[in-house]
Amino acid sequence: MAGPVDLAFDPWDPEFLADPYPAYAELRARGRLIRYEPTGQWLVPHHADVSALLRERRLGRTYRHRFGHEEFGRSAPPPEHEPFHTLNDHGMLDLEPPDHTRIRRLVSKAFTPRTVERLRPYVHGLADELVGKLVEAGGGDLLTDVAEPLPVAVIAEMLGIPEADRAPLRPWSAAICGMYELNPSEEAAARAVRASVEFSDYLRELIAARREEPGEDLISGLIAAHDEGDRLTEQELVSTAVLLLNAGHEATVNATVNGWWALFRNPGQLAALRADHSLIPSAIEELMRYDTPLQLFERWVLDDIEIDGTTVPRGAEIAMLFGSANHDPSVFADPGRLDLSRGENPHISFSAGIHYCIGAPLARMELAASMTALLRRAPTLVPAEEPRRTPNFVIRGLAGLAVEVA
Ligand code: HEM
């Protein structure tokens, strides 16, 4: 174990955010478990440890199924944050068995590989249309013209959110996701609370309408599952819809722009991809590894656990560094090199264990659709300027990606 030390790991430093990977190498060299005072967490930077801990039942995304706040040595969140927690804490991502198992099974029934596969023509058609407009305009912002509208429309379509209602989805999601950053500010919390109230109110109305008049959409499917066996409460229904809508686009948006910015910085690899589109599937995996869209996930220690000779006690919090694990040289040869034809690629960008991303097949399809359309219809695409990063660490992305069709 390494003790409190002066680390290059500083998630609030723009220089670190520009390229966190050298700081991760330093962390991995320091040890398997590093106490990090600014957040009171234990950092875990190695692939083998992250991979094992994601499957570890002594850890949990929540502790509330077993302990009260005080009993666990934590303080209850302030009452004014309650709308955010009510919404967040009833989604499957923040539940543990048995509730997690029940909800995940139900959602999986509606969110099958077949449902996703049926969407393929729609997803590719939409990607083609969006890229077509970008090309006609001679360029634009890859973020707002392609990366955002594609996954937002797809997940909204799946859930049956009418087109006219979609504009606030992205700002609501961004406000809620602000709470997943490390040590969020009071202003960020206030924005998340406001968005939680508005988003929940909207969905309650939509659910009531679908209950009256069911459609072919996922919300109607979840209501039916709910009504048959009383297995999803009304709050769980709202929380599940919000989780699907937010998780259903946030990371895909960032994976798209991080991926293209990585390609632009590696012209040799981009040229190889342009010459051989059969590299698309392995390119997508490699880009998700190379610049990991979700950098950190946390787990509570529910029962004492020993890591590298140190007992991490119940009540502690572990922060698993996905970006670091994805650059661990004991798993990935020459991890700092973008290699679109990398064969074995056991990156953990979609997590592992019981919370493994339920949307991974959809995300892969969306990323392949936009990449195919951009390679085919914009073979001369170049960046117009160096993009700015968002100030976020956990959800790693760009504030925009200006491009030109040369
Ligand atoms: C590139 C895109 C995506 C990435 C990198 C990603 C990544 C992840 C990760 C890392 C987790 C687990 C977090 C943890 O273990 O604590 C997760 C869970 C989840 N993801 Fe994704 N995701 C992506 C796209 C999607 C899409 C398109 C959907 C569509 C519905 C989705 C829905 C979910 C849901 C519902 C969960 C919770 C699963 C559970 O708790 O059992 N994700 N995702």
Side-chain angles (χ1 to χ4, degrees):
M1 181 204 61
V5 277
D6 189 19
L7 294 169
F9 177 79
D10 180 355
W12 298 277
D13 176 4
E15 224 171 281
F16 166 82
L17 290 178
D19 181 9
Y21 300 100
Y24 290 149
E26 188 188 295
L27 284 181
R28 288 192 304 273
R30 277 188 196 258
R32 291 172 50 198
L33 185 70
I34 299 140
R35 176 81 185 160
Y36 190 58
E37 297 302 341
T39 58
Q41 295 170 320
W42 294 88
L43 304 178
V44 174
H46 288 263
H47 187 281
D49 290 319
V50 172
S51 196
L53 291 175
L54 284 170
R55 297 168 171 89
E56 174 54 68
R57 302 309 305 140
R58 281 172 291 178
L59 305 184
R61 288 230 14 147
T62 181
Y63 53 83
R64 300 299 309 284
H65 58 310
R66 286 190 45 194
F67 308 103
H69 293 297
E70 272 181 30
E71 201 184 350
F72 201 64
R74 299 276 159 177
S75 45
E80 64 273 21
H81 293 184
E82 197 269 339
F84 165 78
H85 288 286
T86 300
L87 183 61
N88 188 68
D89 298 356
H90 289 85
M92 75 175 111
L93 183 53
D94 283 278
L95 289 168
E96 288 294 315
D99 289 323
H100 174 267
T101 323
R102 172 174 54 86
I103 298 179
R104 178 142 179 151
R105 202 183 299 135
L106 236 87
V107 174
S108 305
K109 267 175 137 180
F111 205 95
T112 61
R114 257 188 63 219
T115 335
V116 172
E117 202 42 49
R118 269 209 307 266
L119 287 169
R120 185 178 292 277
Y122 165 71
V123 175
H124 279 265
L126 184 56
D128 226 50
E129 188 187 316
L130 294 167
V131 171
K133 280 190 201 150
L134 182 89
V135 171
E136 261 168 48
D141 184 345
L142 201 58
L143 176 77
T144 51
D145 294 345
V146 178
E148 281 180 348
L150 180 67
V152 171
V154 171
I155 195 68
E157 197 68 27
M158 284 186 88
L159 281 147
I161 309 291
E163 224 170 313
D165 296 353
R166 291 179 193 170
L169 294 178
R170 186 79 186 123
W172 280 338
S173 174
I176 289 170
C177 289
M179 289 297 266
Y180 306 140
E181 293 299 323
L182 296 172
N183 299 350
S185 66
E186 254 326 297
E187 297 80 67
R191 278 196 297 274
V193 166
R194 212 160 33 239
S196 302
V197 171
E198 290 174 14
F199 210 165
S200 302
D201 286 350
Y202 169 73
L203 281 167
R204 274 181 217 288
E205 268 183 43
L206 187 73
I207 289 166
R210 291 288 180 276
R211 213 185 277 288
E212 285 289 303
E213 212 176 311
E216 293 290 304
D217 52 83
L218 209 54
I219 288 190
S220 300
L222 290 170
I223 293 170
H226 163 57
D227 288 344
E228 269 165 27
D230 194 25
R231 287 174 297 170
L232 261 193
T233 66
E234 182 77 10
Q235 181 59 54
E236 286 167 351
L237 203 50
V238 172
S239 297
T240 299
V242 168
L243 173 65
L244 289 171
L245 283 161
N246 293 356
H249 77 269
E250 279 294 343
T252 319
V253 171
N254 295 315
T256 308
V257 287
N258 291 341
W260 274 91
W261 179 232
L263 288 172
F264 290 141
R265 282 176 293 147
N266 290 271
Q269 288 293 297
L270 179 54
L273 181 61
R274 281 179 170 148
D276 179 3
H277 294 188
S278 74
L279 284 174
I280 291 173
S282 64
I284 286 168
E285 301 310 312
E286 175 66 350
L287 291 166
M288 300 245 315
R289 178 198 75 80
Y290 181 77
D291 202 5
T292 309
L294 302 169
Q295 291 273 321
L296 173 150
F297 280 94
E298 293 154 345
R299 293 291 189 270
W300 296 108
V301 177
L302 305 174
D303 292 301
D304 296 3
I305 181 168
E306 199 186 297
I307 302 172
D308 195 26
T310 300
T311 301
V312 186
R314 168 181 293 169
E317 197 179 21
I318 288 182
M320 297 170 292
L321 297 168
F322 280 28
S324 176
N326 282 343
H327 280 245
D328 186 335
S330 63
V331 177
F332 304 99
D334 202 358
R337 193 163 68 88
L338 182 72
D339 175 5
L340 301 184
S341 55
R342 199 179 280 276
E344 271 286 281
N345 197 340
H347 69 73
I348 40 110
S349 297
F350 285 120
S351 192
I354 65 167
H355 293 286
Y356 178 80
C357 180
I358 211 170
L362 177 61
R364 287 186 165 117
M365 182 196 284
E366 291 172 342
L367 293 170
S370 61
M371 184 176 279
T372 306
L374 283 162
L375 291 174
R376 282 211 189 121
R377 304 196 59 158
T380 55
L381 199 71
V382 286
E385 60 189 27
E386 167 131 8
R388 261 184 322 109
R389 286 223 155 264
T390 66
N392 300 330
F393 163 59
V394 174
I395 302 184
R396 177 168 175 77
L398 300 177
L401 182 53
V403 288
E404 282 166 5
V405 180

